């Protein structure tokens, strides 16, 4: 049985290409593992709160010293971190917004990047505490920002997400993008094929 955390961050429930890709991923995985369990976290329709001074202070307060108010402020962070710890596979839908990621996804990252929970400080620098999980980022961009394109340097999604995920220990990350979706559906179709191929590869590795 595989435990999958599916995270949508597009605010467009009916036209989102990344939601389509997440659906294809879940569909393909179900064909290889009928016993899988899935948690859906929809950041697009229910975005996390942005961090404020009180929440940040609670992040750095020892658990036995938290006030009732601080515990309430941490409840969302606790929940989404529990989901990450539960999951074997994490699928993140990440459309490109202004060369980066949606603000809701950034807010989620701020809620899960938490000292003592998902990373810790050491003499050699910070160390991520989430490990042994596979992450698949399913993106969609209006233009073509693939490595061979003339505007690839404008892609701020990939380096930021790779850095942020690595920071909390999620180092096994695959990026699959639907490119140039504002032009036609070819990029989406190619990404759908890539999703199914990737799931097949993972299933083979698990069976080995």
């Amino acid at each position: 049985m595989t435990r999958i955390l599916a995270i949508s961050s597009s605010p467009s429930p009916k036209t989102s290409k990344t939601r389509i890709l997440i659906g294809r991923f879940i569909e393909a995985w179900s064909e290889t593992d009928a016993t899988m369990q899935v948690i859906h976290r929809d950041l697009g329709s229910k975005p996390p709160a942005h961090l404020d001074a009180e929440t940040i202070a609670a992040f750095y307060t020892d658990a036995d010293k938290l006030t009732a108010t601080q515990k309430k402020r941490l409840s969302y962070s606790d929940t989404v971190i529990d989901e990450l710890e539960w999951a074997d596979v994490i699928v993140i839908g990440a459309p490109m917004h202004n060369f980066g990621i949606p603000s809701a996804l950034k807010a989620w990252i701020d809620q899960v990047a938490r000292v003592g929970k998902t990373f810790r400080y050491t003499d050699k620098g910070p160390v991520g505490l989430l490990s042994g999980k596979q992450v698949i980022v399913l993106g969609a961009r209006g233009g073509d920002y693939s490595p061979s394109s003339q505007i690839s340097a404008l892609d701020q999604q990939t380096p930021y997400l790779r850095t942020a995920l690595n920071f909390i220990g999620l180092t096994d990350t695959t990026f699959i993008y639907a490119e140039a979706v504002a032009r036609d559906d070819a990029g989406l179709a190619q990404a759908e094929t890539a999703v199914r191929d990737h799931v097949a590869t993972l299933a083979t590795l698990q069976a080995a």
Side-chain angles (χ1 to χ4, degrees):
M1 179 189 70
T2 306
R3 296 176 295 190
I4 299 176
L5 172 60
I7 301 169
S8 301
S9 64
S10 171
S12 305
K14 295 183 179 180
T15 60
S16 168
K17 304 297 188 295
T18 54
R19 290 176 186 270
I20 291 173
L21 292 176
I22 290 174
R24 296 291 183 269
F25 185 94
I26 299 300
E27 179 183 88
W29 200 286
S30 68
E31 294 172 2
T32 65
D33 181 4
T35 65
M36 71 176 189
Q37 294 182 350
V38 183
I39 289 178
H40 291 274
R41 172 62 60 177
D42 192 339
L43 307 178
S45 63
K46 296 182 179 179
H50 292 289
L51 295 187
D52 56 19
E54 292 183 12
T55 305
I56 293 172
F59 281 178
Y60 288 89
T61 300
D62 292 338
D64 59 347
K65 295 180 181 178
L66 289 169
T67 66
T69 299
Q70 286 177 318
K71 290 179 180 179
K72 185 176 181 180
R73 298 304 287 266
L74 294 180
S75 61
Y76 182 89
S77 175
D78 289 338
T79 297
V80 290
I81 289 174
D82 285 346
E83 291 173 352
L84 281 174
E85 292 175 338
W86 169 86
D88 303 309
V89 177
I90 301 155
V91 187
I92 302 174
M96 176 179 276
H97 284 189
N98 297 316
F99 311 110
I101 62 175
S103 60
L105 182 54
K106 174 60 167 65
W108 176 84
I109 290 171
D110 290 340
Q111 292 283 352
V112 301
R114 190 165 150 196
V115 64
K117 297 281 285 186
T118 58
F119 75 94
R120 62 184 174 88
Y121 293 112
T122 72
D123 293 339
K124 297 182 180 180
V127 174
L129 300 179
L130 300 175
S131 61
K133 302 175 186 296
Q134 294 170 333
V135 182
I136 300 90
V137 176
L138 303 176
R141 290 94 86 89
D144 182 357
Y145 295 84
S146 60
S148 61
S149 76
Q150 294 181 343
I151 58 173
S152 61
L154 298 179
D155 172 18
Q156 302 301 306
Q157 282 181 298
T158 310
Y160 172 73
L161 282 172
R162 192 184 301 280
T163 299
L165 295 170
N166 284 0
F167 185 76
I168 58 176
L170 300 174
T171 58
D172 186 357
T173 305
T174 299
F175 292 83
I176 298 174
Y177 287 115
E179 303 282 2
V181 296
R183 183 174 60 204
D184 53 38
D185 292 331
L188 177 61
Q190 291 175 358
E192 290 180 278
T193 298
V195 165
R196 295 192 68 87
D197 289 346
H198 187 64
V199 170
T201 298
L202 293 178
T204 300
L205 291 174
Q206 285 189 345

